[in-house]
Amino acid sequence: MRNILIHGLGQNNQSWHKTVIYLKKNGIEAICPSLYEITDNTLLNYKSLYGAFSDFCNNQEEKLNLCGLSLGGILALDFAKEYPEKVNSIILIGTPYKIPKVLFKVQNLIFKMMPKRTFEKTGYSKREFITLVHSMSNLNIAKDLNKIKCKSLILCGDKDNVNMKSAKLLNNIIKTSEFKIISNSSHEVNVDNPKELSDIIYNFWKDHQ
């Protein structure tokens, strides 16, 4: 089984560093692709990003355990819908049930005013980052959720008020899912509480190998 951790928008693969270390101590190896590095496309949008991500996943010889935060969770959901035979399980962290369009518009305005250096850690330029966010505004995340048949775990930080309702909705709709709250965490659970997160991931993957 291949274990893949997928970072969120505004993060990079190093955001999973501590979680990976804790998992390794428990005997579980996980890989964390950089979404920037696997996307070789001059036109950056969600479609091209998902295409690169699905190619990356399909090039893995084994079945997959996918664990994604926010944007990473959306990518994991879309892949599980399209390639159910390739996915053993999914873990969704702080993943929206639907795109908050008003919030996205406000965020885009804020991004345009932020200095270019703010976006350096993501690997994307400021222009690429804003283009990617804009391309996600019409995503229909809720579509075909009934196609998710693999074992699923929905996680949300106890302080992530924006995504708590979405987490509960996903848990209700995905019939094979469990729901857990991570303590002392806001949206970026992998940064805020990697130890508790790694323990939950370990137990879930151990039970669903």
Side-chain angles (χ1 to χ4, degrees), residues 173-205:
I173 294 170
I174 301 175
K175 301 303 181 185
T176 55
S177 70
E178 307 170 41
F179 173 58
K180 293 182 182 294
I181 294 175
I182 309 293
S183 64
N184 302 313
S185 303
S186 55
H187 183 54
E188 294 186 277
V189 175
N190 54 354
V191 175
D192 295 339
N193 197 345
K195 178 62 171 68
E196 183 176 338
L197 175 61
S198 67
D199 288 343
I200 289 174
I201 292 173
Y202 167 76
N203 287 321
F204 182 76
W205 280 350

Side-chain angles (χ1 to χ4, degrees), residues 126-192:
K126 178 177 178 177
R127 182 179 179 181
E128 288 174 325
F129 189 91
I130 292 172
T131 300
L132 174 58
V133 172
H134 180 72
S135 73
M136 295 173 61
S137 61
N138 291 315
L139 290 182
N140 187 355
I141 301 168
K143 182 181 179 182
D144 294 331
L145 283 176
N146 60 309
K147 291 184 177 180
I148 305 296
K149 304 298 183 184
C150 62
K151 293 295 182 181
S152 308
L153 177 60
I154 316 297
L155 301 177
C156 192
D158 61 347
K159 300 174 185 176
D160 188 3
N161 298 322
V162 173
N163 290 292
M164 186 64 73
K165 183 177 179 180
S166 286
K168 293 176 180 179
L169 279 169
L170 289 169
N171 176 232
N172 286 334
I173 294 170
I174 301 175
K175 301 303 181 185
T176 55
S177 70
E178 307 170 41
F179 173 58
K180 293 182 182 294
I181 294 175
I182 309 293
S183 64
N184 302 313
S185 303
S186 55
H187 183 54
E188 294 186 277
V189 175
N190 54 354
V191 175
D192 295 339

Side-chain angles (χ1 to χ4, degrees), residues 10-209:
Q11 293 189 332
N12 58 38
N13 56 333
Q14 290 303 307
S15 302
W16 287 104
H17 179 66
K18 290 184 179 179
T19 308
V20 170
I21 291 174
Y22 287 130
L23 285 171
K24 193 169 185 178
K25 286 180 179 178
N26 283 323
I28 287 189
E29 299 283 344
I31 59 172
C32 318
S34 163
L35 296 180
Y36 169 74
E37 291 178 0
I38 66 172
T39 309
D40 182 20
N41 196 312
T42 54
L43 177 62
L44 179 66
N45 53 39
Y46 181 79
K47 183 178 180 181
S48 63
L49 175 61
Y50 172 70
F53 174 74
S54 60
D55 288 344
F56 175 85
C57 289
N58 281 319
N59 284 333
Q60 309 299 318
E61 294 183 359
E62 303 166 271
K63 290 192 73 170
L64 307 176
N65 290 318
L66 299 176
C67 174
L69 184 144
S70 196
L71 168 61
I74 296 173
L75 290 167
L77 272 175
D78 280 346
F79 187 81
K81 292 173 188 176
E82 187 172 6
Y83 302 101
E85 72 287 348
K86 186 71 177 176
V87 179
N88 180 60
S89 72
I90 57 173
I91 301 175
L92 309 175
I93 309 170
T95 302
Y97 174 75
K98 64 179 180 179
I99 297 296
K101 293 187 178 183
V102 174
L103 179 60
F104 257 47
K105 288 180 180 179
V106 173
Q107 284 182 327
N108 258 336
L109 290 173
I110 294 172
F111 292 149
K112 288 177 182 179
M113 294 185 287
M114 291 168 66
K116 292 181 180 179
R117 66 178 180 274
T118 306
F119 302 88
E120 290 176 358
K121 73 170 185 176
T122 69
Y124 300 118
S125 69
K126 178 177 178 177
R127 182 179 179 181
E128 288 174 325
F129 189 91
I130 292 172
T131 300
L132 174 58
V133 172
H134 180 72
S135 73
M136 295 173 61
S137 61
N138 291 315
L139 290 182
N140 187 355
I141 301 168
K143 182 181 179 182
D144 294 331
L145 283 176
N146 60 309
K147 291 184 177 180
I148 305 296
K149 304 298 183 184
C150 62
K151 293 295 182 181
S152 308
L153 177 60
I154 316 297
L155 301 177
C156 192
D158 61 347
K159 300 174 185 176
D160 188 3
N161 298 322
V162 173
N163 290 292
M164 186 64 73
K165 183 177 179 180
S166 286
K168 293 176 180 179
L169 279 169
L170 289 169
N171 176 232
N172 286 334
I173 294 170
I174 301 175
K175 301 303 181 185
T176 55
S177 70
E178 307 170 41
F179 173 58
K180 293 182 182 294
I181 294 175
I182 309 293
S183 64
N184 302 313
S185 303
S186 55
H187 183 54
E188 294 186 277
V189 175
N190 54 354
V191 175
D192 295 339
N193 197 345
K195 178 62 171 68
E196 183 176 338
L197 175 61
S198 67
D199 288 343
I200 289 174
I201 292 173
Y202 167 76
N203 287 321
F204 182 76
W205 280 350
K206 180 186 67 173
D207 291 341
H208 300 297
Q209 290 294 336

